[in-house]
Amino acid sequence: MATSSLGGSTILLRRDEGGAIRFFPSPSNTCKLSFRLKHTLITCHATRRLAASVARASSREVAVVGGEVVEKGKEQGRALKVGLICGGPSAERGISLNSARSLLDHLQEDDLHVSCYYIDCNLNSFAISSAQVYSNTPADFDFKLESLAQSFQSLADLAKHLATAVDIVFPVIHGQFGEDGGIQELLEKYNVPFVGTGSNECRQAFDKYKASVELRKHGFVTVPNFLVQGYETNKSELSEWFKRHQLDPDLGKVVVKPTRGGSSIGVRVAYGVNDSLVKANEIISEGIDNKVLVEIFLDGGSEFTAIVLDVGSGSNRCPVALLPTEVELLFRGANDVKEKDAIFNYRRKYLPTQQVAYHTPPRFPLDVIENIRRGASLLFQQLSLQDFARIDGWFLPNPGSKLSSSEREFGRTESGTIIFTDINLISGMEQTSFLFQQASKVGFSHTNILRSIIHHACLRFPNLASVRGISGQVPSRSKSIQLNKSFPRHEGARKVFVIFGGDTSERQVSLMSGTNVWLNLLAFHDLEVTPFLLSPVSEYASSVDMEKEADDARNRTLWSLPYSLVLRHTTEEVLAACIEAIEPDRAAITSDLRKKVMNDLMEGLMDHNWFTGFDIADELPEKFSLRQWIKLAKEVKATVFIAVHGGIGEDGTLQFLLDAEGVPYTGPGTMASKICMDKVATSAALKHLVKSGVLTIHKDVWRKDNLSNKPINDIWHELNQKLQCKTLCVKPAKDGCSTGVARLCCSKDLAVYVKALEDCLLRIPPNSLSKAHGMIEMPSPPPEHLIFEPFIETDEIVVASNSRNETAQGLMWKGNSRWVEITVGVIGKCGSMHSLSPSVTVKETGDILSLEEKFQGGTGINLTPPPLSIMGETALSRCKQRIELIANTLQLEGFSRIDAFVNVDSGEVLIIEVNTVPGMTPSTVLIHQALAEQPPIYPHQFFRKLLDLASERSM
């Protein structure tokens, strides 16, 4: 017998003596459920087909999830061994690492063992530990490879190893060598089974020029393009192409992009023939590609992307496009730094920027959505793709004369023109990627969709027929929450509420942190985990009165989030998705499209006995006040996992409210949080520890209004005199650890910074100050108080793995000042906090670590633990003792992160700040440090430990 939940009601499923499946509603819900179940079985064709499929499976337990039958307890066999290959030579290596982490998080189980392999930019190959996958960047990988990894003499040796060590390979190398047929050809040569499209088909589809030729051959509308090969391009031929397509040779707007550079790298906008050739030569000289496409810029169009999943058997393909996603570029009015030529580039695709929003399904006419799905599936079939792919394109509501006009071309609809432009053979698989966004919309969890892809790939290889490692079991999922007595109570399952979002400048990182925590905790079947978004407020409230702040906070709005609504890049997008989801007309359209896609999927999936059904129900978000939410948490005895960075999540307000109701939560208590949020108060609380080797930085606090009302030169002179230095660091007094932080070298720098505050800029563009720097994200709205302090000069640490003059395995460091910057996590109970191993921070660009460098894989380097060439064991031990002294003095508990400078000889610590709700993203430094413990603590274990500490404290 098995049980499941359907819309808050319980269903029991079991077989009678004759072997027939019977549905048994819980007695308390019999009347209500009988209608729901009847309605679901009548309207959901997919469920009827699933029921028939399950009926063929003798003696198997099944359950119903969201109207779908789910099979339990499949026949057991040996574990399937999957080889995960990441890295590669392209500029998308960082995204490849994100994908690898995601796959490892969601695939590693008792019945499926994952081994990890890495290929560097020079095509050297290595077997790496799963712990090393959580390193932050390719530079991290390359630095540690010699000491931590097993290298192979050649790619051939790697392939020979894979042929005996794993059952099937899942390549997650994006761009060159991953999607151009390189890795596929290698695996084919040595008869190694792999997931995805074959080498010949990859070569054809990856090359944008060849793909466009092939698409035209198959009758698809395409974008007119011109191929630039090498530096000696015939200018007159390009000029003729401009004229032929009614483009001004001097000002005609085009897109210039590498033919074999993935979907984001190297793409730029050009004007006219000369500019096009300049941009093309830049791409060639940068080594991105030696062939470049010049395409007409599609003004007035909307970009979309669609995941296609093959659910056929063997050589019989049955591609089904999931619900496509519309990509909307956004700009926040005059206060935003708007680029002259907006395109969906690398930063917008992979970083938590507010400059892009996604809509799944698109806000297109229904006939357009259906034609996108049909066209993507047809393209997948005609190009002989396998298992899965992501296909990008454009919808033009009013096609211009610059496009071909044949009525016979696929893509012409009554509402406009559909154009497919890019084929991604290995779609990005980071946690909130299009693959998971679209899959969850039609009932697949991360684990379910990945296992389905792998098992489908196994069908092509007869030798894998005996491997029954993929059981189809999926993690426990979050439940719908209702503020009434019908809230589901499952015996033995602990309720966990993960809260993230808010209105601070770190709210996007908070979303990344909360999503990561939620997904990791879903792996525990004894937990019932629900994600919640703390909505932003229209005006920022800042008060020294805790009671007043708490009263204001009690009326803040939260949303319980269904699975699919969590998978977004920004809190604004999550909130918009919540509002959109409960809008009746939009909800009806989405529901109808979801059912259609599920029916299409089941046409193929019903023939595979390994498919156990969809595990994500079609649920709606629910809205609460913070007061109601805390009442609910108390009622169901939930533990709150706080992932709200800054604001009420870190200044003690949320902790104060939870303490008042006796609701346990992660991290430090009310007073410790309040003190650590105020950088001046933190320094004051630690000043007396100077004799113990704990130092503080002298600070000067200014009101924002005073900075605007006084001559800049006078302010600069006053700061120089008071702080006794010529180079300053400015930061918000009560905001996060990255936003609004800048190095100021002169009064002109201060003027630029103050002007950005006055204009409420969301970011200061790169190199706006006298010292080179990257993008500076600014707090929004601007902080009321700012801190100025001396800029601490440390010796530059350079990772130079290709240099022959380096020391300590690629590390170059002069060590003149003897001070380095570190960040270190502390974990434990109040009064007995344990210091994890510190990480030395290495700045790749500028002097201040950006949001990307701190939180997003692909940039930023952390060396964990500090190399012995920088800090000896004695100094490291003293450093950790002082970190623990700081933590215990501040009465920290649970976990926190401390940023500081350390003297590499004495172990003296110069405190920068303490973060009581540190970043918990997939590549955060705390994960590195937990993995450096003995034995290593993996992410899901780490977050579970933090949760258990919170529960123990409440006892």
Side-chain angles (χ1 to χ4, degrees), residues 447-602:
T447 297
N448 201 2
I449 188 66
L450 291 174
R451 286 181 172 235
S452 295
I453 289 170
I454 290 174
H455 208 132
H456 182 271
C458 288
L459 296 177
R460 290 197 301 278
F461 305 98
N463 292 340
L464 296 181
S466 60
V467 179
R468 304 185 183 276
I470 303 179
S471 68
Q473 294 179 359
V474 293
S476 56
R477 62 183 181 85
S478 58
K479 309 296 182 182
S480 59
I481 302 298
Q482 299 176 16
L483 190 62
N484 54 42
K485 294 182 180 179
S486 67
F487 179 83
R489 299 174 184 274
H490 299 293
E491 289 298 325
R494 287 172 53 190
K495 309 297 189 297
V496 181
F497 289 1
V498 181
I499 181 173
F500 48 83
D503 50 14
T504 74
S505 51
E506 288 188 281
R507 60 192 177 279
Q508 316 308 359
V509 178
S510 171
L511 173 60
M512 295 168 65
S513 292
T515 301
N516 190 43
V517 169
W518 164 65
L519 287 171
N520 272 278
L521 291 180
L522 284 180
F524 295 97
H525 295 277
D526 63 328
L527 300 179
E528 190 175 288
V529 190
T530 306
F532 289 88
L533 174 74
L534 175 65
S535 294
V537 291
S538 57
E539 293 185 9
Y540 185 76
S542 179
S543 171
V544 296
D545 185 345
M546 183 67 74
E547 284 287 356
K548 183 181 184 304
E549 185 84 0
D551 285 339
D552 293 339
R554 286 186 180 96
N555 295 317
R556 294 284 297 272
T557 300
L558 284 91
W559 292 82
S560 68
L561 301 177
Y563 195 112
S564 65
L565 293 193
V566 185
L567 307 179
R568 299 292 189 276
H569 288 79
T570 68
T571 55
E572 290 80 8
E573 193 186 345
V574 175
L575 179 59
C578 288
I579 296 170
E580 185 178 88
I582 61 175
E583 195 279 315
D585 291 342
R586 178 68 174 174
I589 290 172
T590 301
S591 180
D592 288 345
L593 288 171
R594 168 189 162 97
K595 290 174 184 176
K596 179 169 180 53
V597 174
M598 292 173 74
N599 288 339
D600 292 345
L601 289 167
M602 286 311 302

Side-chain angles (χ1 to χ4, degrees), residues 74-212:
K74 280 183 67 79
E75 184 178 344
Q76 294 299 305
R78 73 171 177 85
L80 186 78
K81 294 179 290 186
V82 177
L84 187 63
I85 302 183
C86 61
S90 84
E92 292 184 275
R93 280 198 300 157
I95 304 306
S96 172
L97 303 187
N98 288 350
S99 294
R101 277 191 290 268
S102 187
L103 263 70
L104 187 59
D105 281 344
H106 298 294
L107 287 177
Q108 186 76 280
E109 290 285 349
D110 292 340
D111 63 339
L112 195 154
H113 294 170
V114 180
S115 301
C116 301
Y117 302 88
Y118 177 67
I119 294 176
D120 69 10
C121 58
N122 297 314
L123 296 184
N124 299 308
S125 56
F126 306 84
I128 60 175
S129 71
S130 54
Q132 195 175 341
V133 173
Y134 295 95
S135 293
N136 197 29
T137 67
D140 269 348
F141 268 70
D142 295 343
F143 180 78
K144 299 169 186 174
L145 283 174
E146 185 175 332
S147 60
L148 296 179
Q150 171 198 337
S151 63
F152 295 96
Q153 290 296 316
S154 65
L155 288 174
D157 287 339
L158 167 65
K160 292 174 184 176
H161 165 83
L162 293 170
T164 58
V166 303
D167 296 311
I168 190 166
V169 166
F170 201 138
V172 288
I173 297 176
H174 305 307
Q176 296 172 19
F177 196 69
E179 297 179 81
D180 61 3
I183 187 68
Q184 292 81 6
E185 184 176 21
L186 175 70
L187 297 172
E188 288 166 350
K189 181 178 179 179
Y190 291 90
N191 297 314
V192 180
F194 61 89
V195 174
T197 299
S199 61
N200 289 334
E201 293 77 13
C202 280
R203 274 191 289 272
Q204 185 78 13
F206 183 69
D207 186 304
K208 294 181 178 63
Y209 180 72
K210 290 181 179 179
S212 67

Side-chain angles (χ1 to χ4, degrees), residues 271-344:
Y271 290 86
V273 175
N274 291 333
D275 192 31
S276 297
L277 290 176
V278 169
K279 298 288 175 58
N281 288 334
E282 285 175 359
I283 293 172
I284 295 170
S285 62
E286 290 170 12
I288 298 174
D289 198 356
N290 60 6
K291 295 200 303 179
V292 179
L293 273 188
V294 179
E295 290 183 345
I296 289 176
F297 190 99
L298 298 176
D299 273 314
S302 297
E303 193 166 358
F304 67 81
T305 186
I307 297 292
V308 182
L309 188 67
D310 188 4
V311 295
S313 300
S315 60
N316 297 320
R317 291 181 178 84
C318 180
V320 176
L322 306 184
L323 285 181
T325 299
E326 173 193 355
V327 179
E328 180 188 15
L329 294 183
L330 300 173
F331 297 97
R332 304 288 175 179
N335 294 338
D336 200 354
V337 179
K338 182 173 181 177
E339 296 177 17
K340 180 181 178 182
D341 302 305
I343 54 176
F344 188 42

Side-chain angles (χ1 to χ4, degrees), residues 510-791:
S510 171
L511 173 60
M512 295 168 65
S513 292
T515 301
N516 190 43
V517 169
W518 164 65
L519 287 171
N520 272 278
L521 291 180
L522 284 180
F524 295 97
H525 295 277
D526 63 328
L527 300 179
E528 190 175 288
V529 190
T530 306
F532 289 88
L533 174 74
L534 175 65
S535 294
V537 291
S538 57
E539 293 185 9
Y540 185 76
S542 179
S543 171
V544 296
D545 185 345
M546 183 67 74
E547 284 287 356
K548 183 181 184 304
E549 185 84 0
D551 285 339
D552 293 339
R554 286 186 180 96
N555 295 317
R556 294 284 297 272
T557 300
L558 284 91
W559 292 82
S560 68
L561 301 177
Y563 195 112
S564 65
L565 293 193
V566 185
L567 307 179
R568 299 292 189 276
H569 288 79
T570 68
T571 55
E572 290 80 8
E573 193 186 345
V574 175
L575 179 59
C578 288
I579 296 170
E580 185 178 88
I582 61 175
E583 195 279 315
D585 291 342
R586 178 68 174 174
I589 290 172
T590 301
S591 180
D592 288 345
L593 288 171
R594 168 189 162 97
K595 290 174 184 176
K596 179 169 180 53
V597 174
M598 292 173 74
N599 288 339
D600 292 345
L601 289 167
M602 286 311 302
E603 291 293 330
L605 290 174
M606 66 170 291
D607 295 327
H608 303 301
N609 60 11
W610 50 263
F611 182 67
T612 60
F614 304 101
D615 55 314
I616 302 299
D618 189 9
E619 300 175 323
L620 294 177
E622 293 192 49
K623 189 176 180 180
F624 306 91
S625 69
L626 185 58
R627 187 192 310 270
Q628 292 172 320
W629 179 76
I630 293 174
K631 178 183 176 183
L632 176 61
K634 181 178 182 179
E635 177 188 338
V636 302
K637 299 180 180 178
T639 300
V640 173
F641 202 116
I642 301 176
V644 178
H645 301 314
I648 70 168
E650 205 163 352
D651 67 5
T653 303
L654 184 55
Q655 291 81 359
F656 176 83
L657 294 172
L658 293 169
D659 279 335
E661 295 296 331
V663 176
Y665 56 86
T666 55
T670 301
M671 291 311 298
S673 298
K674 184 177 181 181
I675 289 172
C676 293
M677 185 64 167
D678 187 329
K679 298 176 179 68
V680 175
T682 304
S683 292
L686 299 173
K687 264 190 174 181
H688 67 285
L689 299 179
V690 61
K691 292 184 179 179
S692 299
V694 175
L695 313 176
T696 57
I697 303 174
H698 185 42
K699 295 174 171 58
D700 193 27
V701 183
W702 283 69
R703 285 185 57 85
K704 176 176 67 72
D705 294 343
N706 291 342
L707 291 172
S708 301
N709 296 331
K710 194 171 183 178
I712 290 294
N713 287 335
D714 292 349
I715 297 173
W716 183 254
H717 180 72
E718 184 177 334
L719 287 168
N720 287 163
Q721 291 295 316
K722 186 174 287 187
L723 297 174
Q724 291 295 297
C725 65
K726 294 183 178 180
T727 305
L728 304 177
C729 181
V730 60
K731 62 182 71 171
K734 295 183 179 181
D735 207 336
C737 56
S738 296
T739 51
V741 182
R743 178 181 185 178
L744 308 178
C745 298
C746 59
S747 60
K748 291 182 179 178
D749 289 349
L750 178 60
V752 170
Y753 191 90
V754 171
K755 186 70 164 59
L757 293 173
E758 292 172 346
D759 294 344
C760 300
L761 289 186
L762 298 179
R763 52 191 63 84
I764 297 176
N767 302 322
S768 298
L769 306 177
S770 58
K771 180 81 172 177
H773 65 87
M775 185 81 75
I776 300 174
E777 304 284 347
M778 294 296 287
S780 178
E784 291 299 318
H785 295 86
L786 292 119
I787 290 175
F788 293 90
E789 59 189 29
F791 183 87

Side-chain angles (χ1 to χ4, degrees), residues 694 822 824 835 838 866 871 873-886 900-903 906-909:
V694 175
I822 63 167
V824 54
S835 171
M871 184 184 298
E873 292 183 1
T874 300
L876 179 60
S877 176
R878 290 173 179 168
C879 169
K880 292 174 72 173
Q881 290 172 10
R882 285 160 179 151
I883 291 294
E884 291 172 353
L885 176 62
I886 292 168
F901 299 100
V902 63
N903 185 289
S906 66
E908 287 181 298
V909 172

